[in-house]
Amino acid sequence: MSAEQSRVVVSEYLARPTGVWLSVDVELEDVPNGIRCRGRSAVNEWMRALYRSFADATVGPVRLVTEGDVTVAEVLVTDSVGPTDQTRATSAPMVVACEVRAGEIVALRLYYDRQMVVGGAPSSSLEQPRPRGASRTHRTSGPHGAQEE
Amino acid sequence: MDAHETRRIAQPYFDAHDLTALVEDVVYVNTVTGEEIRGREAVGEVLRLFYELAFDAEAVDKRMAFADGTAVIESTWRGRHVGEFAGIPATGKLVEVPICVVADVGPDGITGARLYMPMNRLLDQLGS
């Protein structure tokens, strides 16, 4: 699969994040929250929740970099905050790194400032990655608050 | 500037933190804290904090990508907490977080970069 084809897949997915671009066993890692989910439906659910959390947001421009089967997209998310007469726009960059094989996204990694996400994301079908060498008991914070592991 | 030239300029920084790959007035932004680090020397100080002074750390599992004027690295930053960081005295704990850096590359070097590092996960591991 060419780099250009991978870029098209990622661009189309970012514009319309539906399952058609995802492999059945796609895996997503939400880096700031330290959460992983696996499978098309779980990833779909997670991405829909993430997009919903940017209620009035616009996404763009998108900068794409492809190397091998990895395409990295850096986007600027701009959201409007406050009542109409005092509305101010806040912007934050976000990175979506996608591994694309045979026209499907098989893995996604999201990097962003989690404080810009005002809504929640689904907690079902999720697992918490544990850092190698770290204590088995550590605290992580997800979209629904702190969770003890 | 094509991807090949972008790689030639940026990869020494990604491989070994070669500060000569940065232009003198580079602007480095921590996208999570909003902090801006201006200048090659200041970037070097931050790198020393994260890789030598507060942590004995290294970046592993590096994945790089290069396009016209843009370079990206994803890696796992891993190390031991050996010095004060964010007001927390050395704990000796092993810590590990995924990081990503997106760099703007010009003919004279890296002109800007955005760091995506989940500080909340780092502080959680330190017991903060």
Side-chain angles (χ1 to χ4, degrees):
Chain A
M1 183 169 199
S2 72
E4 184 55 35
Q5 288 171 318
S6 293
R7 292 160 67 93
V8 168
V9 169
V10 173
S11 297
E12 291 293 330
Y13 180 69
L14 290 175
R16 289 172 294 280
T18 63
V20 68
W21 300 106
L22 304 176
S23 70
V24 172
D25 56 352
V26 61
E27 183 169 315
L28 177 146
E29 180 177 3
D30 181 317
V31 170
N33 289 305
I35 288 173
R36 287 181 177 151
C37 59
R38 184 176 290 128
R40 185 183 285 158
S41 61
V43 170
N44 256 340
E45 189 182 0
W46 184 268
M47 290 299 287
R48 277 199 298 269
L50 186 65
Y51 271 58
R52 275 199 305 271
S53 68
F54 303 128
D56 300 314
T58 56
V59 175
V62 178
R63 183 188 309 212
L64 292 174
V65 181
T66 299
E67 186 90 21
D69 60 3
V70 176
T71 294
V72 179
E74 186 182 43
V75 301
L76 190 64
V77 180
T78 302
D79 207 349
S80 298
V81 178
T84 306
D85 57 342
Q86 296 175 352
T87 295
R88 59 189 172 82
T90 58
S91 297
M94 176 177 183
V95 166
V96 183
C98 300
E99 292 179 27
V100 181
R101 292 184 199 125
E104 293 183 324
I105 296 171
V106 299
L108 301 99
R109 294 177 292 279
L110 309 180
Y111 301 85
Y112 61 95
D113 176 5
R114 66 179 186 155
Q115 293 186 31
M116 76 181 184
V117 177
V118 296
S123 59
S124 60
S125 306
L126 305 177
E127 62 184 53
Q128 304 279 336
R130 177 177 294 122
R132 280 167 288 199
S135 164
R136 285 186 60 81
T137 302
H138 70 281
R139 185 167 53 87
T140 57
S141 293
H144 297 295
Q147 301 166 351
E148 291 293 339
E149 194 178 346
Chain B
M1 182 174 22
D2 63 16
H4 178 77
E5 182 69 359
T6 301
R7 178 195 298 271
R8 188 189 66 77
I9 293 170
Q11 189 154 357
Y13 176 73
F14 286 169
D15 281 341
H17 294 152
D18 180 355
L19 296 179
T20 64
L22 309 178
V23 301
E24 191 67 43
D25 58 349
V26 62
V27 179
Y28 215 97
V29 178
N30 183 328
T31 63
V32 174
T33 65
E35 180 187 12
E36 282 190 7
I37 303 150
R38 293 182 173 272
R40 182 192 290 161
E41 190 175 332
V43 171
E45 289 173 8
V46 171
L47 290 172
R48 279 191 291 278
L49 174 69
F50 275 88
Y51 285 90
E52 297 174 23
L53 301 177
F55 302 92
D56 179 9
E58 61 179 342
V60 297
D61 300 332
K62 294 179 180 179
R63 290 183 292 258
M64 304 179 202
F66 303 91
D68 302 357
T70 303
V72 180
I73 181 169
E74 290 182 274
S75 67
T76 299
W77 175 84
R78 180 188 299 162
R80 188 176 295 279
H81 182 208
V82 296
E84 182 175 330
F85 179 75
I88 304 171
T91 62
K93 291 182 177 176
L94 289 170
V95 292
E96 177 180 301
V97 292
I99 64 173
C100 179
V101 175
V102 182
D104 304 320
V105 184
D108 298 324
I110 294 172
T111 59
R114 292 165 295 287
L115 168 67
Y116 298 80
M117 183 177 193
M119 298 299 291
N120 57 303
R121 289 179 61 179
L122 174 58
L123 294 174
D124 281 347
Q125 291 173 40
L126 295 178
S128 168

